[in-house]
Amino acid sequence: MMDYNSFFKSELDSLRDEGNYREFAELERNCGSFPKAKNHKNSTDVTIWCSNDYLGMGQHPKVLKAMHQALDQTGAGAGGTRNISGTTHEHVLLERELADLHNKPSALLFTSGYVSNWAALGTLASRIPDCVVLSDELNHASMIEGIRHSRAKKIIWKHNDLLDLEQKLKQLPLEQPKLIAFESVYSMDGDIAPIAEICDLADRYGAMTYLDEVHAVGLYGERGAGVAEREGLMDRLTVIEGTLGKAFGVMGGYIAASTELCDFIRSFASGFIFTTAIPPSVAAGARASIAHLKQSSEERKAQQKNVMTVRAKLDQIGLPHIDNPSHIIPVVVGDPIKCKYISDILLEDYGIYIQPINYPTVPKGTERLRITPSPVHTQADIEKLTSALEELWAQCELARLPLAAQ
């Protein structure tokens, strides 16, 4: 008989030996002083440098006020699935806010961005007869799982490679239903998709477009609707998917599309039908965050300024970081053991929290520290971060960029 626990232990030991075992830092965010937090391991204060709460909206007074009011008015939970007892007025108001944000007729809420991708892609690809999904090779795991769940034919095209995408589209009958699935901002390298050109190909070959904007909503565009808004392309996309758990600072996911498509997903997606709805207080907080960022660009401008400052500081000390046009700064270590070591020492000795990004999230040999400056990081925070990285880079004997490349 198999010794199951011994098997589990052996697999975990292998992860540890490879430097890919993930440990959680038990942190407690300090409301009103984010990105500061308390490290419960040793009761010290730390500065978080890898949060996806990109704009610090998780502590914004308008968001907190809306959540407190909704909690007092409606209680803690949603009461169940929306089909049975969970559709509340706050859900309806939030979906209207999201539809307006993306200039779409309708929107549909989910419990997370992962679930929205899994449910929407899985339902569209499985229920549209003979549908073929053309998926960018660096799409998020939630998109991959949704496509896999659909059991539809899947074709993977090279990352952001328009020639490869067109070549694969040409091989399919023009009348065959097609869905091109891709992201705007890719979270690990921080690069941005050629959305307009992908839409051109979709029009030419009769394909739907599914754009994941989870790392862009709140951050780009005049009202924070994402890269597609910034580039004037929202009307050309069949589905825009986003999250409430990153720049909007709360939790949940959604799609925005035509009334018919959203109703189709609402009616057929098991990932929507059979799961408890997000609490009304969470919906209220998300709506307040979206409404604020529609009107305010102050947070976006401050964040962009800090991103530029961190990049410039890293260039000054010759630390290799992936150049990209987004807010994500991947500092490449290239070794899983050293990547985790640097992360551990940053936390223990410098009070800086940056989670190591190792395989399988990124390919082996590209291990990195993923830095996400926010508008609430101070210049002192930036100086401390770059100084600590410079010291640890020397200690670990990692390569720096030559002066000519800086």
Side-chain angles (χ1 to χ4, degrees):
M1 294 176 64
M2 182 175 186
D3 185 339
Y4 297 106
N5 281 331
S6 293
F7 169 76
F8 300 147
K9 183 179 183 301
S10 175
E11 292 295 296
L12 292 170
D13 287 343
S14 295
L15 277 181
R16 291 186 179 93
D17 292 341
E18 296 166 0
N20 292 324
Y21 181 75
R22 303 183 185 195
E23 296 183 25
F24 289 158
E26 187 180 349
L27 305 180
E28 182 178 338
R29 287 166 38 130
N30 297 326
C31 183
S33 62
F34 180 77
K36 308 301 180 185
K38 179 182 178 181
N39 180 6
H40 275 269
K41 181 178 179 180
N42 52 17
S43 297
T44 58
D45 293 331
V46 300
T47 301
I48 299 174
W49 273 101
C50 55
S51 175
N52 284 345
D53 186 357
Y54 292 129
L55 300 177
M57 292 302 294
Q59 62 171 358
H60 196 281
K62 290 182 180 178
V63 175
L64 300 182
K65 180 180 179 182
M67 295 185 73
H68 280 296
Q69 288 179 341
L71 185 64
D72 291 339
Q73 291 172 3
T74 66
T81 69
R82 289 179 67 181
N83 285 285
I84 295 176
S85 60
T87 294
T88 71
H89 187 51
E90 286 295 346
H91 293 137
V92 175
L93 293 177
L94 177 53
E95 287 175 340
R96 289 175 185 169
E97 192 78 55
L98 289 164
D100 176 77
L101 175 68
H102 293 288
N103 197 25
K104 294 290 186 185
S106 189
L108 187 66
L109 274 173
F110 296 85
T111 52
S112 72
Y114 191 105
V115 173
S116 59
N117 270 334
W118 180 84
L121 281 169
T123 302
L124 289 170
S126 66
R127 298 197 68 93
I128 297 174
D130 202 26
C131 183
V132 177
V133 182
L134 296 103
S135 176
D136 185 288
E137 67 178 340
L138 293 188
N139 277 342
H140 189 266
S142 58
M143 303 175 78
I144 295 169
E145 286 300 321
I147 297 165
R148 180 182 295 151
H149 176 72
S150 74
R151 298 185 179 179
K153 180 179 179 181
K154 176 181 68 175
I155 298 175
I156 298 174
W157 50 286
K158 295 177 184 177
H159 177 55
N160 282 348
D161 188 327
L162 295 168
L163 292 176
D164 188 55
L165 174 58
E166 182 166 21
Q167 182 183 34
K168 288 174 167 55
L169 284 165
K170 282 181 178 178
Q171 296 171 357
L172 299 170
L174 188 61
E175 68 276 9
Q176 184 169 21
K178 309 169 194 72
L179 175 60
I180 303 173
F182 61 108
E183 302 181 38
S184 57
V185 178
Y186 286 83
S187 64
M188 288 299 113
D189 287 348
D191 55 340
I192 295 178
I195 302 174
E197 292 82 357
I198 292 172
C199 289
D200 290 341
L201 291 176
D203 293 343
R204 191 177 307 158
Y205 294 97
M208 297 182 295
T209 48
Y210 185 105
L211 177 64
D212 179 320
E213 289 253 47
V214 297
H215 290 279
V217 290
L219 300 171
Y220 301 92
E222 184 179 352
R223 300 196 306 162
V227 177
E229 181 195 30
R230 184 186 70 182
E231 299 180 4
L233 299 169
M234 290 193 296
D235 62 314
R236 300 191 62 190
L237 293 153
T238 310
V239 181
I240 297 175
E241 184 267 348
T243 183
L244 306 171
K246 292 183 172 61
F248 292 131
V250 194
M251 70 167 292
Y254 65 90
I255 59 169
S258 69
T259 301
E260 294 79 8
L261 190 149
C262 287
D263 198 19
F264 180 83
I265 301 299
R266 183 190 69 86
S267 300
F268 291 108
S270 62
F272 174 84
I273 295 170
F274 297 107
T275 192
T276 299
I278 63 173
S281 57
V282 173
R287 181 163 62 92
S289 181
I290 295 164
H292 173 78
L293 291 174
K294 281 181 178 178
Q295 304 297 324
S296 173
S297 59
E298 177 183 344
E299 292 83 3
R300 287 187 283 275
K301 289 178 180 178
Q303 186 217 31
Q304 291 162 9
K305 181 180 179 181
N306 276 349
V307 169
M308 292 177 61
T309 301
V310 172
R311 287 190 186 279
K313 292 284 187 181
L314 292 173
D315 287 341
Q316 288 174 11
I317 58 177
L319 263 63
H321 59 96
I322 297 175
D323 187 26
N324 62 56
S326 78
H327 59 283
I328 295 168
I329 305 177
V331 177
V332 180
V333 178
D335 180 282
I337 303 296
K338 290 182 178 180
C339 191
K340 186 177 185 306
Y341 172 80
I342 292 173
S343 173
D344 289 344
I345 299 302
L346 282 173
L347 183 61
E348 294 170 11
D349 294 353
Y350 295 90
I352 294 171
Y353 176 64
I354 310 176
Q355 183 71 4
I357 306 294
N358 288 352
Y359 179 83
T361 305
V362 295
K364 292 180 179 179
T366 69
E367 294 82 6
R368 66 198 62 181
L369 302 172
R370 178 181 176 274
I371 299 173
T372 54
S374 77
V376 290
H377 283 100
T378 65
Q379 293 305 302
D381 291 333
I382 294 173
E383 292 290 345
K384 183 178 180 181
L385 168 70
T386 53
S387 175
L389 286 173
E390 184 175 22
E391 291 174 14
L392 289 172
W393 223 255
Q395 181 180 334
C396 290
E397 299 181 337
L398 292 166
R400 298 197 191 196
L401 296 176
L403 291 177
Q406 291 186 34

